[in-house]
Short mmCIF file of all heavy atoms in Angstrom, two decimals:
data_model
loop_
_atom_site.label_atom_id
_atom_site.label_comp_id
_atom_site.label_asym_id
_atom_site.label_seq_id
_atom_site.Cartn_x
_atom_site.Cartn_y
_atom_site.Cartn_z
N MET Y 1 -4.11 -6.43 -14.20
CA MET Y 1 -4.61 -5.74 -13.01
C MET Y 1 -5.95 -6.38 -12.63
O MET Y 1 -6.80 -6.59 -13.48
CB MET Y 1 -4.78 -4.26 -13.27
CG MET Y 1 -5.44 -3.55 -12.09
SD MET Y 1 -5.85 -1.81 -12.38
CE MET Y 1 -4.29 -1.14 -12.75
N LEU Y 2 -6.09 -6.64 -11.37
CA LEU Y 2 -7.34 -7.16 -10.84
C LEU Y 2 -8.11 -6.01 -10.22
O LEU Y 2 -7.59 -5.27 -9.41
CB LEU Y 2 -7.05 -8.23 -9.77
CG LEU Y 2 -8.26 -8.78 -9.02
CD1 LEU Y 2 -9.19 -9.52 -9.95
CD2 LEU Y 2 -7.78 -9.69 -7.88
N VAL Y 3 -9.36 -5.83 -10.63
CA VAL Y 3 -10.21 -4.76 -10.09
C VAL Y 3 -11.33 -5.41 -9.29
O VAL Y 3 -12.03 -6.29 -9.82
CB VAL Y 3 -10.79 -3.88 -11.22
CG1 VAL Y 3 -11.69 -2.80 -10.64
CG2 VAL Y 3 -9.67 -3.27 -12.06
N LEU Y 4 -11.48 -5.03 -8.03
CA LEU Y 4 -12.46 -5.63 -7.16
C LEU Y 4 -13.38 -4.56 -6.60
O LEU Y 4 -13.00 -3.41 -6.40
CB LEU Y 4 -11.78 -6.31 -5.98
CG LEU Y 4 -10.81 -7.45 -6.31
CD1 LEU Y 4 -10.06 -7.86 -5.07
CD2 LEU Y 4 -11.56 -8.60 -6.91
N SER Y 5 -14.61 -4.97 -6.31
CA SER Y 5 -15.53 -4.12 -5.58
C SER Y 5 -15.70 -4.68 -4.19
O SER Y 5 -15.87 -5.87 -4.00
CB SER Y 5 -16.90 -4.09 -6.26
OG SER Y 5 -16.82 -3.53 -7.54
N ARG Y 6 -15.61 -3.83 -3.20
CA ARG Y 6 -15.73 -4.21 -1.78
C ARG Y 6 -16.58 -3.19 -1.09
O ARG Y 6 -16.66 -2.03 -1.53
CB ARG Y 6 -14.39 -4.29 -1.09
CG ARG Y 6 -13.38 -5.24 -1.69
CD ARG Y 6 -13.54 -6.67 -1.27
NE ARG Y 6 -14.62 -7.31 -1.99
CZ ARG Y 6 -15.19 -8.45 -1.66
NH1 ARG Y 6 -14.81 -9.10 -0.57
NH2 ARG Y 6 -16.16 -8.97 -2.37
N VAL Y 7 -17.17 -3.52 0.01
CA VAL Y 7 -17.89 -2.56 0.85
C VAL Y 7 -17.14 -2.42 2.15
O VAL Y 7 -16.25 -3.24 2.49
CB VAL Y 7 -19.35 -2.98 1.10
CG1 VAL Y 7 -20.13 -3.03 -0.20
CG2 VAL Y 7 -19.44 -4.31 1.79
N VAL Y 8 -17.47 -1.39 2.92
CA VAL Y 8 -16.78 -1.12 4.19
C VAL Y 8 -16.82 -2.36 5.07
O VAL Y 8 -17.85 -3.01 5.19
CB VAL Y 8 -17.43 0.08 4.90
CG1 VAL Y 8 -16.84 0.25 6.30
CG2 VAL Y 8 -17.25 1.35 4.07
N GLY Y 9 -15.66 -2.70 5.64
CA GLY Y 9 -15.51 -3.83 6.51
C GLY Y 9 -15.00 -5.08 5.82
O GLY Y 9 -14.49 -6.00 6.47
N GLU Y 10 -15.15 -5.18 4.50
CA GLU Y 10 -14.66 -6.36 3.79
C GLU Y 10 -13.15 -6.30 3.58
O GLU Y 10 -12.55 -5.22 3.65
CB GLU Y 10 -15.40 -6.52 2.46
CG GLU Y 10 -16.85 -6.87 2.62
CD GLU Y 10 -17.54 -7.12 1.31
OE1 GLU Y 10 -17.19 -6.53 0.29
OE2 GLU Y 10 -18.47 -7.96 1.34
N MET Y 11 -12.57 -7.46 3.35
CA MET Y 11 -11.13 -7.55 3.21
C MET Y 11 -10.73 -8.12 1.86
O MET Y 11 -11.48 -8.82 1.23
CB MET Y 11 -10.55 -8.42 4.33
CG MET Y 11 -10.67 -7.80 5.69
SD MET Y 11 -9.90 -8.80 6.98
CE MET Y 11 -8.18 -8.52 6.67
N ILE Y 12 -9.51 -7.84 1.49
CA ILE Y 12 -8.83 -8.41 0.32
C ILE Y 12 -7.54 -9.04 0.83
O ILE Y 12 -6.80 -8.40 1.56
CB ILE Y 12 -8.51 -7.34 -0.74
CG1 ILE Y 12 -9.82 -6.69 -1.22
CG2 ILE Y 12 -7.72 -7.94 -1.88
CD1 ILE Y 12 -9.61 -5.44 -2.03
N SER Y 13 -7.27 -10.28 0.44
CA SER Y 13 -6.04 -10.95 0.88
C SER Y 13 -5.04 -10.96 -0.30
O SER Y 13 -5.42 -11.23 -1.43
CB SER Y 13 -6.32 -12.39 1.30
OG SER Y 13 -7.14 -12.38 2.44
N ILE Y 14 -3.77 -10.72 0.04
CA ILE Y 14 -2.69 -10.80 -0.92
C ILE Y 14 -1.72 -11.84 -0.37
O ILE Y 14 -1.06 -11.59 0.64
CB ILE Y 14 -2.01 -9.44 -1.11
CG1 ILE Y 14 -3.01 -8.42 -1.59
CG2 ILE Y 14 -0.83 -9.60 -2.08
CD1 ILE Y 14 -2.52 -7.00 -1.65
N GLY Y 15 -1.67 -12.99 -0.97
CA GLY Y 15 -0.86 -14.07 -0.45
C GLY Y 15 -1.39 -14.50 0.92
O GLY Y 15 -2.57 -14.33 1.24
N ASP Y 16 -0.49 -15.06 1.71
CA ASP Y 16 -0.90 -15.56 3.03
C ASP Y 16 -0.68 -14.54 4.15
O ASP Y 16 -1.16 -14.78 5.27
CB ASP Y 16 -0.08 -16.84 3.37
CG ASP Y 16 -0.41 -18.02 2.46
OD1 ASP Y 16 -1.56 -18.07 2.02
OD2 ASP Y 16 0.48 -18.84 2.21
N THR Y 17 0.01 -13.45 3.87
CA THR Y 17 0.43 -12.57 4.96
C THR Y 17 -0.03 -11.12 4.87
O THR Y 17 0.22 -10.35 5.77
CB THR Y 17 1.97 -12.60 5.12
OG1 THR Y 17 2.54 -12.11 3.89
CG2 THR Y 17 2.47 -13.99 5.42
N ILE Y 18 -0.67 -10.73 3.77
CA ILE Y 18 -1.05 -9.32 3.61
C ILE Y 18 -2.56 -9.24 3.39
O ILE Y 18 -3.14 -9.98 2.58
CB ILE Y 18 -0.32 -8.70 2.42
CG1 ILE Y 18 1.20 -8.77 2.63
CG2 ILE Y 18 -0.78 -7.26 2.22
CD1 ILE Y 18 2.02 -8.34 1.45
N SER Y 19 -3.19 -8.35 4.13
CA SER Y 19 -4.64 -8.13 4.03
C SER Y 19 -4.93 -6.65 3.93
O SER Y 19 -4.28 -5.84 4.62
CB SER Y 19 -5.36 -8.68 5.24
OG SER Y 19 -5.22 -10.09 5.32
N LEU Y 20 -5.89 -6.28 3.12
CA LEU Y 20 -6.36 -4.90 3.00
C LEU Y 20 -7.84 -4.91 3.49
O LEU Y 20 -8.64 -5.68 2.98
CB LEU Y 20 -6.32 -4.42 1.55
CG LEU Y 20 -4.97 -4.44 0.90
CD1 LEU Y 20 -5.11 -4.33 -0.59
CD2 LEU Y 20 -4.13 -3.32 1.45
N ARG Y 21 -8.17 -4.03 4.41
CA ARG Y 21 -9.54 -3.91 4.88
C ARG Y 21 -10.07 -2.55 4.51
O ARG Y 21 -9.42 -1.54 4.74
CB ARG Y 21 -9.62 -4.10 6.39
CG ARG Y 21 -11.08 -4.02 6.92
CD ARG Y 21 -11.18 -4.16 8.43
NE ARG Y 21 -10.64 -5.37 8.92
CZ ARG Y 21 -11.34 -6.51 9.02
NH1 ARG Y 21 -12.61 -6.56 8.65
NH2 ARG Y 21 -10.78 -7.61 9.49
N ILE Y 22 -11.23 -2.51 3.88
CA ILE Y 22 -11.87 -1.25 3.53
C ILE Y 22 -12.43 -0.64 4.80
O ILE Y 22 -13.26 -1.25 5.48
CB ILE Y 22 -13.00 -1.48 2.49
CG1 ILE Y 22 -12.49 -2.24 1.28
CG2 ILE Y 22 -13.62 -0.12 2.09
CD1 ILE Y 22 -11.28 -1.68 0.60
N MET Y 23 -11.97 0.55 5.14
CA MET Y 23 -12.37 1.20 6.40
C MET Y 23 -13.50 2.21 6.18
O MET Y 23 -14.40 2.32 7.03
CB MET Y 23 -11.16 1.92 7.02
CG MET Y 23 -9.94 1.02 7.23
SD MET Y 23 -10.24 -0.41 8.25
CE MET Y 23 -10.40 0.34 9.84
N ALA Y 24 -13.43 2.95 5.07
CA ALA Y 24 -14.47 3.98 4.82
C ALA Y 24 -14.43 4.36 3.36
O ALA Y 24 -13.40 4.29 2.70
CB ALA Y 24 -14.21 5.23 5.69
N VAL Y 25 -15.60 4.77 2.86
CA VAL Y 25 -15.71 5.30 1.51
C VAL Y 25 -16.48 6.59 1.62
O VAL Y 25 -17.60 6.63 2.15
CB VAL Y 25 -16.44 4.32 0.58
CG1 VAL Y 25 -16.60 4.93 -0.81
CG2 VAL Y 25 -15.73 2.98 0.51
N ASN Y 26 -15.85 7.70 1.19
CA ASN Y 26 -16.49 9.03 1.22
C ASN Y 26 -16.34 9.66 -0.16
O ASN Y 26 -15.27 10.20 -0.48
CB ASN Y 26 -15.83 9.92 2.29
CG ASN Y 26 -16.04 9.39 3.66
OD1 ASN Y 26 -17.11 9.00 4.05
ND2 ASN Y 26 -14.95 9.36 4.43
N GLY Y 27 -17.33 9.56 -0.98
CA GLY Y 27 -17.26 10.11 -2.35
C GLY Y 27 -16.18 9.37 -3.13
O GLY Y 27 -16.23 8.18 -3.30
N ASN Y 28 -15.18 10.14 -3.60
CA ASN Y 28 -14.08 9.54 -4.37
C ASN Y 28 -12.93 9.08 -3.50
O ASN Y 28 -11.92 8.60 -4.01
CB ASN Y 28 -13.52 10.59 -5.37
CG ASN Y 28 -14.49 10.83 -6.51
OD1 ASN Y 28 -15.31 9.98 -6.84
ND2 ASN Y 28 -14.42 11.99 -7.10
N ASN Y 29 -13.04 9.20 -2.19
CA ASN Y 29 -11.99 8.79 -1.26
C ASN Y 29 -12.29 7.48 -0.62
O ASN Y 29 -13.42 7.21 -0.19
CB ASN Y 29 -11.79 9.84 -0.18
CG ASN Y 29 -11.27 11.15 -0.71
OD1 ASN Y 29 -10.39 11.14 -1.54
ND2 ASN Y 29 -11.82 12.25 -0.23
N VAL Y 30 -11.29 6.62 -0.56
CA VAL Y 30 -11.41 5.32 0.07
C VAL Y 30 -10.30 5.24 1.10
O VAL Y 30 -9.13 5.51 0.83
CB VAL Y 30 -11.25 4.16 -0.96
CG1 VAL Y 30 -11.31 2.82 -0.24
CG2 VAL Y 30 -12.29 4.27 -2.04
N ARG Y 31 -10.67 4.84 2.33
CA ARG Y 31 -9.68 4.61 3.41
C ARG Y 31 -9.61 3.11 3.61
O ARG Y 31 -10.62 2.45 3.72
CB ARG Y 31 -10.10 5.29 4.70
CG ARG Y 31 -10.07 6.82 4.59
CD ARG Y 31 -10.47 7.46 5.91
NE ARG Y 31 -9.56 7.12 6.96
CZ ARG Y 31 -8.56 7.88 7.40
NH1 ARG Y 31 -8.37 9.06 6.84
NH2 ARG Y 31 -7.78 7.49 8.36
N PHE Y 32 -8.38 2.61 3.63
CA PHE Y 32 -8.22 1.19 3.89
C PHE Y 32 -7.07 0.97 4.83
O PHE Y 32 -6.13 1.78 4.92
CB PHE Y 32 -8.06 0.38 2.59
CG PHE Y 32 -6.93 0.82 1.72
CD1 PHE Y 32 -5.69 0.30 1.86
CD2 PHE Y 32 -7.14 1.77 0.72
CE1 PHE Y 32 -4.63 0.71 1.03
CE2 PHE Y 32 -6.13 2.18 -0.10
CZ PHE Y 32 -4.87 1.65 0.04
N GLY Y 33 -7.13 -0.11 5.56
CA GLY Y 33 -6.08 -0.52 6.48
C GLY Y 33 -5.29 -1.66 5.87
O GLY Y 33 -5.87 -2.52 5.15
N ILE Y 34 -3.99 -1.70 6.14
CA ILE Y 34 -3.13 -2.72 5.61
C ILE Y 34 -2.52 -3.51 6.75
O ILE Y 34 -1.92 -2.91 7.66
CB ILE Y 34 -2.00 -2.11 4.75
CG1 ILE Y 34 -2.60 -1.27 3.63
CG2 ILE Y 34 -1.07 -3.18 4.22
CD1 ILE Y 34 -1.59 -0.40 2.92
N GLU Y 35 -2.69 -4.82 6.73
CA GLU Y 35 -2.05 -5.69 7.71
C GLU Y 35 -1.00 -6.46 6.96
O GLU Y 35 -1.28 -7.18 6.01
CB GLU Y 35 -3.07 -6.63 8.34
CG GLU Y 35 -4.13 -5.94 9.14
CD GLU Y 35 -5.16 -6.91 9.67
OE1 GLU Y 35 -4.94 -8.13 9.63
OE2 GLU Y 35 -6.22 -6.43 10.10
N ALA Y 36 0.29 -6.31 7.39
CA ALA Y 36 1.39 -7.00 6.75
C ALA Y 36 2.47 -7.24 7.77
O ALA Y 36 2.57 -6.50 8.77
CB ALA Y 36 1.96 -6.14 5.58
N PRO Y 37 3.32 -8.23 7.55
CA PRO Y 37 4.44 -8.48 8.46
C PRO Y 37 5.37 -7.25 8.50
O PRO Y 37 5.46 -6.51 7.54
CB PRO Y 37 5.15 -9.67 7.86
CG PRO Y 37 4.24 -10.26 6.89
CD PRO Y 37 3.28 -9.18 6.47
N HIS Y 38 6.07 -7.07 9.61
CA HIS Y 38 7.01 -5.96 9.75
C HIS Y 38 8.11 -6.03 8.69
O HIS Y 38 8.70 -4.98 8.33
CB HIS Y 38 7.60 -5.90 11.13
CG HIS Y 38 6.63 -5.50 12.20
ND1 HIS Y 38 6.23 -4.20 12.35
CD2 HIS Y 38 5.96 -6.22 13.12
CE1 HIS Y 38 5.36 -4.13 13.33
NE2 HIS Y 38 5.16 -5.35 13.80
N SER Y 39 8.38 -7.18 8.15
CA SER Y 39 9.42 -7.36 7.15
C SER Y 39 8.99 -6.82 5.78
O SER Y 39 9.82 -6.71 4.88
CB SER Y 39 9.83 -8.81 7.04
OG SER Y 39 8.72 -9.62 6.65
N VAL Y 40 7.72 -6.52 5.62
CA VAL Y 40 7.19 -6.00 4.32
C VAL Y 40 7.04 -4.49 4.47
O VAL Y 40 6.29 -4.01 5.31
CB VAL Y 40 5.83 -6.65 3.98
CG1 VAL Y 40 5.25 -6.03 2.72
CG2 VAL Y 40 5.97 -8.16 3.84
N ALA Y 41 7.74 -3.75 3.59
CA ALA Y 41 7.62 -2.28 3.61
C ALA Y 41 6.33 -1.88 2.91
O ALA Y 41 6.02 -2.40 1.84
CB ALA Y 41 8.81 -1.68 2.90
N VAL Y 42 5.58 -1.01 3.56
CA VAL Y 42 4.32 -0.53 2.99
C VAL Y 42 4.40 1.00 2.96
O VAL Y 42 4.53 1.64 4.00
CB VAL Y 42 3.11 -0.98 3.84
CG1 VAL Y 42 1.83 -0.41 3.26
CG2 VAL Y 42 3.05 -2.48 3.92
N HIS Y 43 4.37 1.59 1.77
CA HIS Y 43 4.48 3.03 1.59
C HIS Y 43 3.49 3.49 0.54
O HIS Y 43 3.13 2.75 -0.36
CB HIS Y 43 5.87 3.43 1.09
CG HIS Y 43 6.98 3.01 2.00
ND1 HIS Y 43 7.23 3.61 3.19
CD2 HIS Y 43 7.92 2.04 1.86
CE1 HIS Y 43 8.28 3.03 3.76
NE2 HIS Y 43 8.69 2.06 2.97
N ARG Y 44 3.11 4.76 0.61
CA ARG Y 44 2.38 5.38 -0.50
C ARG Y 44 3.31 5.42 -1.70
O ARG Y 44 4.53 5.44 -1.56
CB ARG Y 44 1.94 6.79 -0.14
CG ARG Y 44 0.96 6.87 1.02
CD ARG Y 44 0.43 8.30 1.25
NE ARG Y 44 1.43 9.30 1.07
CZ ARG Y 44 2.06 9.91 2.10
NH1 ARG Y 44 1.84 9.61 3.34
NH2 ARG Y 44 2.97 10.86 1.81
N ALA Y 45 2.75 5.45 -2.92
CA ALA Y 45 3.55 5.40 -4.12
C ALA Y 45 4.59 6.51 -4.18
O ALA Y 45 5.75 6.30 -4.52
CB ALA Y 45 2.68 5.45 -5.35
N GLU Y 46 4.20 7.74 -3.80
CA GLU Y 46 5.16 8.88 -3.89
C GLU Y 46 6.29 8.72 -2.89
O GLU Y 46 7.41 9.11 -3.18
CB GLU Y 46 4.43 10.21 -3.73
CG GLU Y 46 3.75 10.45 -2.38
CD GLU Y 46 2.33 9.90 -2.29
OE1 GLU Y 46 1.91 9.10 -3.13
OE2 GLU Y 46 1.64 10.33 -1.32
N VAL Y 47 6.03 8.14 -1.73
CA VAL Y 47 7.09 7.91 -0.75
C VAL Y 47 8.03 6.81 -1.30
O VAL Y 47 9.23 6.94 -1.21
CB VAL Y 47 6.49 7.52 0.61
CG1 VAL Y 47 7.55 7.08 1.58
CG2 VAL Y 47 5.68 8.68 1.17
N HIS Y 48 7.46 5.77 -1.84
CA HIS Y 48 8.26 4.69 -2.40
C HIS Y 48 9.18 5.23 -3.49
O HIS Y 48 10.36 4.84 -3.56
CB HIS Y 48 7.35 3.59 -2.97
CG HIS Y 48 8.08 2.47 -3.59
ND1 HIS Y 48 8.80 1.54 -2.86
CD2 HIS Y 48 8.22 2.08 -4.89
CE1 HIS Y 48 9.34 0.68 -3.69
NE2 HIS Y 48 9.01 1.01 -4.92
N GLN Y 49 8.65 6.09 -4.37
CA GLN Y 49 9.48 6.64 -5.43
C GLN Y 49 10.65 7.46 -4.87
O GLN Y 49 11.75 7.41 -5.40
CB GLN Y 49 8.61 7.52 -6.34
CG GLN Y 49 7.68 6.70 -7.18
CD GLN Y 49 6.62 7.54 -7.90
OE1 GLN Y 49 6.51 8.75 -7.68
NE2 GLN Y 49 5.84 6.92 -8.79
N ARG Y 50 10.40 8.25 -3.80
CA ARG Y 50 11.48 9.01 -3.19
C ARG Y 50 12.55 8.10 -2.60
O ARG Y 50 13.73 8.36 -2.73
CB ARG Y 50 10.94 9.96 -2.11
CG ARG Y 50 10.36 11.22 -2.71
CD ARG Y 50 9.93 12.17 -1.62
NE ARG Y 50 8.58 11.76 -1.26
CZ ARG Y 50 7.87 12.21 -0.24
NH1 ARG Y 50 8.39 13.08 0.58
NH2 ARG Y 50 6.66 11.78 0.01
N ILE Y 51 12.12 7.03 -1.96
CA ILE Y 51 13.08 6.07 -1.40
C ILE Y 51 13.93 5.44 -2.50
O ILE Y 51 15.14 5.36 -2.38
CB ILE Y 51 12.33 4.98 -0.60
CG1 ILE Y 51 11.70 5.58 0.67
CG2 ILE Y 51 13.26 3.82 -0.25
CD1 ILE Y 51 10.71 4.65 1.37
N GLN Y 52 13.26 5.07 -3.60
CA GLN Y 52 13.98 4.46 -4.72
C GLN Y 52 14.98 5.48 -5.32
O GLN Y 52 16.09 5.10 -5.66
CB GLN Y 52 13.01 4.00 -5.78
CG GLN Y 52 12.16 2.81 -5.37
CD GLN Y 52 12.98 1.59 -5.06
OE1 GLN Y 52 13.32 1.39 -3.90
NE2 GLN Y 52 13.31 0.83 -6.03
N ALA Y 53 14.58 6.74 -5.44
CA ALA Y 53 15.48 7.76 -5.98
C ALA Y 53 16.68 7.96 -5.09
O ALA Y 53 17.80 8.08 -5.60
CB ALA Y 53 14.69 9.08 -6.17
N LYS Y 54 16.46 7.96 -3.77
CA LYS Y 54 17.60 8.11 -2.85
C LYS Y 54 18.55 6.91 -2.97
O LYS Y 54 19.77 7.06 -2.93
CB LYS Y 54 17.10 8.23 -1.44
CG LYS Y 54 16.55 9.58 -1.09
CD LYS Y 54 16.10 9.66 0.35
CE LYS Y 54 15.46 10.98 0.66
NZ LYS Y 54 15.03 11.10 2.06
N ARG Y 55 17.99 5.72 -3.12
CA ARG Y 55 18.84 4.51 -3.29
C ARG Y 55 19.64 4.59 -4.56
O ARG Y 55 20.85 4.26 -4.58
CB ARG Y 55 17.99 3.26 -3.28
CG ARG Y 55 17.43 2.91 -1.93
CD ARG Y 55 16.62 1.65 -2.01
NE ARG Y 55 16.04 1.38 -0.69
CZ ARG Y 55 15.05 0.53 -0.47
NH1 ARG Y 55 14.48 -0.08 -1.50
NH2 ARG Y 55 14.61 0.33 0.76
N GLU Y 56 19.03 5.03 -5.64
CA GLU Y 56 19.74 5.18 -6.92
C GLU Y 56 20.87 6.21 -6.83
O GLU Y 56 21.95 6.00 -7.32
CB GLU Y 56 18.76 5.52 -8.05
CG GLU Y 56 17.88 4.39 -8.45
CD GLU Y 56 18.64 3.20 -8.96
OE1 GLU Y 56 19.58 3.37 -9.74
OE2 GLU Y 56 18.27 2.06 -8.59
N LYS Y 57 20.55 7.31 -6.14
CA LYS Y 57 21.55 8.39 -6.00
C LYS Y 57 22.72 7.88 -5.13
O LYS Y 57 23.86 8.19 -5.43
CB LYS Y 57 20.91 9.60 -5.32
CG LYS Y 57 21.83 10.79 -5.28
CD LYS Y 57 21.09 12.03 -4.74
CE LYS Y 57 22.03 13.20 -4.71
NZ LYS Y 57 21.37 14.42 -4.19
N ALA Y 58 22.46 7.10 -4.12
CA ALA Y 58 23.51 6.56 -3.27
C ALA Y 58 24.38 5.58 -4.03
O ALA Y 58 25.59 5.52 -3.80
CB ALA Y 58 22.89 5.87 -2.04
N LYS Y 59 23.83 4.87 -4.99
CA LYS Y 59 24.60 3.92 -5.81
C LYS Y 59 25.56 4.70 -6.72
O LYS Y 59 26.62 4.17 -7.06
CB LYS Y 59 23.68 3.07 -6.67
CG LYS Y 59 22.96 1.99 -5.90
CD LYS Y 59 22.10 1.17 -6.87
CE LYS Y 59 21.25 0.17 -6.12
NZ LYS Y 59 20.39 -0.60 -7.04
N GLU Y 60 25.17 5.88 -7.15
CA GLU Y 60 25.99 6.68 -8.06
C GLU Y 60 27.21 7.26 -7.38
O GLU Y 60 28.19 7.56 -8.03
CB GLU Y 60 25.15 7.83 -8.65
CG GLU Y 60 24.04 7.33 -9.58
CD GLU Y 60 23.13 8.44 -10.01
OE1 GLU Y 60 23.38 9.63 -9.66
OE2 GLU Y 60 22.17 8.15 -10.72
N THR Y 61 27.15 7.45 -6.07
CA THR Y 61 28.30 8.06 -5.38
C THR Y 61 29.20 7.06 -4.77
O THR Y 61 29.02 5.90 -4.70
CB THR Y 61 27.81 9.00 -4.25
OG1 THR Y 61 27.01 8.27 -3.31
CG2 THR Y 61 27.03 10.16 -4.82
#
């Protein structure tokens, strides 16, 4: 795992096509924006887990 420190307005690049921009920091909360191609699905972890569970359930039937 890579751990980085950034301040508001700075960016982190992932490969050539994905960027994360720090938008705000309020106490323990961090808001960031994600720029990625439409072909890349971007979800919160809990949403991704639900999608994966639905896919697994569909495979079973």
Side-chain angles (χ1 to χ4, degrees):
M1 175 186 300
L2 174 64
V3 179
L4 300 171
S5 296
R6 301 277 79 196
V7 297
V8 173
E10 291 185 328
M11 292 183 73
I12 298 167
S13 295
I14 301 173
D16 294 330
T17 61
I18 301 172
S19 296
L20 301 164
R21 182 182 301 273
I22 307 306
M23 306 302 288
V25 178
N26 297 313
N28 289 334
N29 293 317
V30 178
R31 292 181 62 98
F32 56 90
I34 303 167
E35 295 177 14
H38 289 285
S39 60
V40 175
V42 178
H43 302 287
R44 296 186 321 260
E46 63 273 16
V47 172
H48 178 72
Q49 290 170 351
R50 280 185 274 172
I51 292 168
Q52 292 299 94
K54 285 182 182 180
R55 287 180 183 163
E56 288 299 317
K57 187 174 180 180
K59 286 182 185 178
E60 294 173 3
T61 58

